[in-house]
Amino acid sequence: ICFQKQERAEAEAWWRKAADQGNVDAMSNLAAILAETDPAEAVTWLTRAAGHGHDLAMHNLGYLAYQRGAIDEALDWYLKAAQRGYTPSMYNYATQVLKADFDEADRWLTRAARLGDVGAMRKLATILAERDPARAEGWARKAAESEPK
């Protein structure tokens, strides 16, 4: 999120007020604005939002964990969000487990692709090219058809 200094302060104040009142979207938005200046507080707000079932907060906790090298924690958060149907987390989880568990990665990428995630379609086309060329071609075609014109 890109803000001018004045806009940032105003947005932070409004999001904090809403977050303090229990609005989970505001918790996630507040965390996004705090991520650069106060990562610890950002994680606190994301954790609260995730505790209320906020998929994006779970995903962002996974991303932050991954950034600091806590891969197992990142996978846990990505999987939680993926299990709730959040396709970016399905993709991230799958790409992280791909080398260790091809079948698990294939399952999550396929699920994301069936939900319309074009990146997952492309990744499936790539990883299946040698193992299952017909299926790979099908996902490549579907990805091309799904691209914005």
Side-chain angles (χ1 to χ4, degrees):
I1 299 176
C2 182
F3 292 103
Q4 298 294 329
K5 191 173 186 177
Q6 176 71 25
E7 292 171 330
R8 178 188 159 82
E10 189 175 334
E12 182 179 336
W14 281 107
W15 283 334
R16 186 175 299 280
K17 184 176 182 176
D20 285 338
Q21 293 174 1
N23 182 302
V24 293
D25 289 329
M27 291 175 194
S28 183
N29 289 337
L30 178 59
I33 204 168
L34 290 171
E36 289 182 26
T37 58
D38 192 345
E41 186 179 2
V43 167
T44 297
W45 283 110
L46 287 172
T47 302
R48 283 183 65 187
H52 290 284
H54 196 275
D55 302 337
L56 177 59
M58 292 176 197
H59 180 82
N60 285 339
L61 282 165
Y63 175 78
L64 292 173
Y66 182 81
Q67 290 300 109
R68 67 174 192 278
I71 305 305
D72 288 341
E73 181 184 346
L75 289 175
D76 287 344
W77 283 116
Y78 286 147
L79 183 57
K80 284 177 185 178
Q83 289 169 333
R84 295 179 50 81
Y86 194 65
T87 58
S89 289
M90 292 177 194
Y91 180 89
N92 284 13
Y93 178 78
T95 59
Q96 291 302 307
V97 301
L98 180 59
K99 288 182 182 176
D101 190 343
F102 182 90
D103 291 337
E104 175 79 348
D106 182 11
R107 276 190 296 278
W108 282 108
L109 287 169
T110 300
R111 189 168 170 195
R114 287 182 178 151
L115 290 170
D117 188 296
V118 177
M121 293 174 198
R122 281 195 219 107
K123 188 71 171 178
L124 280 166
T126 301
I127 69 169
L128 293 170
E130 290 184 25
R131 289 179 185 236
D132 190 341
R135 198 166 149 231
E137 184 180 329
W139 283 117
R141 189 173 34 261
K142 179 78 172 165
E145 292 167 358
S146 299
E147 288 292 336
K149 308 272 184 278

